[in-house]
Amino acid sequence: MAGALQLHLGSSFLPSSSHLKLRRRILASTAPFRRRPTESKIREIFMPALSSTMTEGKIVSWVKSEGDKLSKGESVVVVESDKADMDVETFYDGYLAAIMVDEGGIATVGSAIALLAETEEEIPLAKSKASSSSSAHPEEASSPPVSPQESAIATEASPPRPAKADLTLASSAHPASDAGRRIVATPYAKKLARDLKVELQSVVGTGPMGRIVAKDVEAATDGAASVAATAPITSATKAVADSTPKVPVELGSVVPFTAMQGAVSRNMVESLAAPTFRVGYTITTDSLDELYKKIKSKGVTMTALLAKATAMALTKHPVINCSCRDGKSFTYNSSINIAVAVAIDGGLITPVLQEADKVDIYSLSRKWKELVDKARAKQLQPLEYNSGTFTLSNLGMFGVDRFDAILPPGTGAIMAVGAAQPTVVATKDGRIGVKNQMQVNVTADHRIIYGADLAAFLQTLAKIIEDPKDLTF
């Protein structure tokens, strides 16, 4: 039978489907006798796209070290995108075999930043693969270039590296503390500091822009132990540390954009594609100021009041809340999400108060404080900064009385808010009085919003602000 089968399969005629099925069964049954080498499972960890505008990311810190065992869903690295710092998790179990982009390095979205080995035995092979990949593509991931002038400045201005025991002495001068106002640290560094009971105010940041990373916390722990064994720090020593001058900016030097500055630049250029126009309006704020004084102690902010008033006005003028993205149609957005511009170190971001028309003023104020804290710590999630349908930009706290704002791409309008100032006005009965008034200027997309639409919206907004009783409901 076997001989007949071999002869039959070896004949020159075209086999039928039954013959093909039989041949497949024979090949499948003999497959185990053909031993194939087991392929190693070395996976690449890619630079993820953390936002729709992100094209590259910077490695803030590696949460894990080479050789560490990883579990699916565990944080591996902290990445700085164009908007925030975010933890990146692994999708597989395994071992962090090779780090291909060091802390402070930059990698394009989709490029490999590390290799993950399935077993410990595969780690050497992964390291070899990483080395060959790095030599073949040295330009894919690198630290920002340093000009010869910057290198010379750093060499002249940088003192000899202090011992670990001295790290805590210079804590008041490091950039991450921003003169003691706030601390900029990676999420893992904060967690490590809590576990080790280390005060971040006493830690010197060595990450990008002085950010505190995990190794700084560990160094501070070692330094604290060393300092405890030595003489107490004198006030004179503290004075010397506090008076340490910061390296000045070199005039004439060329400074590359940060990821956030690059994103802002692209958005501003893109905004020029929309035909815009501007309408200004004067609003009396005496009643709003009185309301603010009454409820300020309950945690209500003026920003939340303005956002709430704007959202309430938008419910009556939905066209102002529209957006045009393709130049051929526009969308009546289903939610009123008020984005508010916030200046942070190295850029600008717009945290979003979701459905501001439906949230009470007290919850809205608490949410706003949470968003600002997350924005300054660069921990906003994409939905918290890219889902705005209408934008507010307020420079009133700086005494600016009026200005124009640039329309963010994908939105229909942005309102610039100036400071409320005492103004001499004529009342309806012909008398002269003094009232607090502020100027608002709205920039709108003229493809979908017309002058009459904007004028009607501003009239409604003025009525809400000048009679704000409904803001607290």
Side-chain angles (χ1 to χ4, degrees), residues 1 29 66 70 96 134-135 149 159 172 200 236 277 301 367 385:
M1 175 68 183
S29 63
E66 289 187 350
L70 304 177
L96 183 58
S134 298
S135 60
Q149 294 86 346
S172 61
L200 287 176
F277 72 108
T301 66
K367 184 62 178 179
Y385 62 76

Side-chain angles (χ1 to χ4, degrees), residues 249-381:
V249 176
E250 177 68 11
L251 299 180
S253 61
V254 178
V255 181
F257 279 162
T258 62
M260 179 173 289
Q261 289 170 331
V264 171
S265 175
R266 290 190 297 272
N267 285 340
M268 294 303 96
V269 172
E270 184 181 347
S271 70
L272 297 176
T276 60
F277 72 108
R278 296 163 181 80
V279 175
Y281 206 90
T282 301
I283 302 176
T284 300
T285 63
D286 289 331
S287 298
L288 184 67
D289 294 338
E290 285 297 322
L291 175 63
Y292 178 56
K293 290 178 183 178
K294 291 179 182 178
I295 60 179
K296 180 181 179 181
S297 60
K298 298 180 181 180
V300 175
T301 66
M302 180 58 76
T303 297
L305 283 170
L306 291 173
K308 181 68 174 178
T310 302
M312 291 173 61
L314 288 172
T315 60
K316 300 180 180 180
H317 304 274
V319 69
I320 310 299
N321 195 50
C322 284
S323 58
C324 175
R325 299 181 184 277
D326 59 4
K328 300 177 182 179
S329 62
F330 62 97
T331 303
Y332 282 97
N333 292 302
S334 57
S335 299
I336 297 177
N337 301 332
I338 306 297
V340 185
V342 174
I344 60 176
D345 290 345
L348 179 75
I349 198 166
T350 53
V352 178
L353 290 167
Q354 305 278 345
E355 299 187 328
D357 57 315
K358 300 177 182 178
V359 182
D360 66 86
I361 190 62
Y362 305 101
S363 300
L364 203 64
S365 295
R366 289 193 295 271
K367 184 62 178 179
W368 176 243
K369 184 180 184 303
E370 175 190 329
L371 289 171
V372 170
D373 290 342
K374 292 177 72 172
R376 289 176 176 165
K378 300 190 72 177
Q379 291 300 304
L380 287 175
Q381 298 300 308

